[in-house]
Amino acid sequence: FTRADRHDASVLVRSLLRFARGLGCPARARSGSTHVSFETYTATRATTMRRALMHARAVGGVFGRAKEALATEAVQGSVASYHAEASSNEHVGMRGTTVLCVRKGDQVVMMADGQVTLGSEILKPNVRKVRRIGDNVIGGFAGATADAFTLFERLEHKLDEHPGQLTRAAVELAKLWRTDKFLRRLDAVMVVADKTQSLQITGNGDVLEPHDGVIGIGSGGSYAVSAARALIDVPDMDALQIAKKAMKVAADICIYTNHNFVTETIGVTPGAERN
């Protein structure tokens, strides 16, 4: 391409930047190259990319097919670079976490590992990620520690306002978490349980109750849930035994999970969790 070709292609890419802004997707130009940043959810980014490329093809005829190809390649490279960077940084705070809640019969067990990981480095092996909230509620978290403790404090306040009503307190917390301009920036996921129900609370306003009494969050949550569901119908295993076995499976698979388990229980005989 000649210098004039590249100038025309640059004009086309600037047109794409204006088009992206019109879709509500922030875009910016870096020195030496044009970089398009679609900072929205994954589906929206993919849709916007397709529309931007369609726009490139539509207006590319003004400069000719060669310049259209150059501009399209620039847009594709910029989006691919952004996606790679975003994927490498996504959910870094949640990598060092596996929290499992198992309910069977009258027993409720919440168990978490103790590892905290930053990138490829283990920062601490014995963090406590589960705690008791009052006398009858237990909770665990995945995500930023300071954010989680802030949310635990808010949940305690809601339980004081609505004593004995965990669902209502959780819904009120989820509403506050989603709408408050400060709380909605907090990066964590919570699991709470009392003697009758187990709930997962997220910053998206979700309050989820599992159909089988098993909840798992964090990097190894899916492994722990799979193992617990496979064992939940075994007649000779109680909730504590199921949780221990499932967490061991998760720790053996997930590199961000260790074997330093911390447990909180409801309805389990005192001393049984040390066996």
Side-chain angles (χ1 to χ4, degrees), residues 98-100 109-115 125-132 139-140 240 243-244 247 258-265 273:
T98 299
V99 180
L100 176 68
V109 176
M110 192 169 297
M111 189 175 293
D113 77 303
Q115 181 170 312
N126 59 345
V127 172
R128 187 177 184 89
K129 304 170 188 174
V130 296
R131 58 175 294 191
R132 188 168 293 274
L240 184 59
K244 285 182 177 179
M247 285 294 294
N258 65 14
H259 289 80
N260 294 335
F261 303 142
V262 178
T263 307
E264 289 288 351
T265 64
E273 53 194 85

Side-chain angles (χ1 to χ4, degrees), residues 48 119 161 167 201 231 270:
T48 304
E161 295 175 8
T167 300
I201 311 172
L231 299 171

Side-chain angles (χ1 to χ4, degrees), residues 32-267:
S33 65
T34 302
H35 179 87
V36 180
S37 176
F38 299 106
E39 298 175 358
T40 58
Y41 293 107
T42 302
T44 305
R45 286 200 302 263
T47 301
T48 304
M49 177 181 173
R50 289 195 297 269
R51 293 178 63 183
L53 293 178
M54 290 173 61
H55 184 68
R57 297 187 184 98
V59 301
V62 176
F63 305 110
R65 291 296 175 185
K67 294 143 185 140
E68 174 197 341
L70 180 62
T72 301
E73 182 180 354
V75 173
Q76 290 174 325
S78 297
V79 173
S81 174
Y82 171 77
H83 287 339
E85 180 181 353
S87 298
S88 65
N89 294 326
E90 190 173 10
H91 301 311
V92 170
M94 297 177 61
R95 282 187 172 176
T97 304
T98 299
V99 180
L100 176 68
C101 180
V102 177
R103 177 183 299 274
K104 185 174 182 180
D106 297 330
Q107 296 182 344
V108 184
V109 176
M110 192 169 297
M111 189 175 293
D113 77 303
Q115 181 170 312
V116 172
T117 311
L118 180 63
S120 58
E121 179 183 358
I122 298 176
L123 296 182
K124 194 172 182 180
N126 59 345
V127 172
R128 187 177 184 89
K129 304 170 188 174
V130 296
R131 58 175 294 191
R132 188 168 293 274
I133 307 172
D135 296 330
N136 302 315
V137 178
I138 54 179
F141 70 88
T145 304
D147 293 353
F149 277 102
T150 299
L151 293 167
F152 272 130
E153 290 176 2
R154 296 301 181 103
L155 180 59
E156 286 184 277
H157 294 159
K158 295 299 181 184
L159 286 170
D160 290 339
E161 295 175 8
H162 311 289
Q165 303 179 61
L166 179 60
T167 300
R168 183 171 180 182
V171 170
E172 293 297 326
L173 174 64
K175 287 165 57 179
L176 185 64
W177 189 355
R178 181 177 175 82
T179 58
D180 186 272
K181 66 179 181 180
F182 298 110
L183 291 182
R184 65 188 176 194
R185 297 177 181 272
L186 300 184
D187 179 22
V189 179
M190 299 176 62
V191 175
V192 293
D194 62 9
K195 61 182 180 181
T196 60
Q197 55 195 336
S198 304
L199 302 171
Q200 178 179 338
I201 311 172
T202 74
N204 295 325
D206 299 321
V207 179
L208 307 173
E209 182 175 9
H211 68 282
D212 55 2
V214 179
I215 302 177
I217 59 175
S219 57
S222 58
Y223 309 127
V225 168
S226 298
R229 286 177 175 169
L231 299 171
I232 197 72
D233 294 327
V234 177
D236 295 333
M237 296 187 71
D238 59 19
L240 184 59
Q241 293 172 321
I242 292 171
K244 285 182 177 179
K245 182 63 177 178
M247 285 294 294
K248 186 179 184 302
V249 170
D252 289 342
I253 297 174
C254 178
I255 62 173
Y256 301 109
T257 302
N258 65 14
H259 289 80
N260 294 335
F261 303 142
V262 178
T263 307
E264 289 288 351
T265 64
I266 297 174

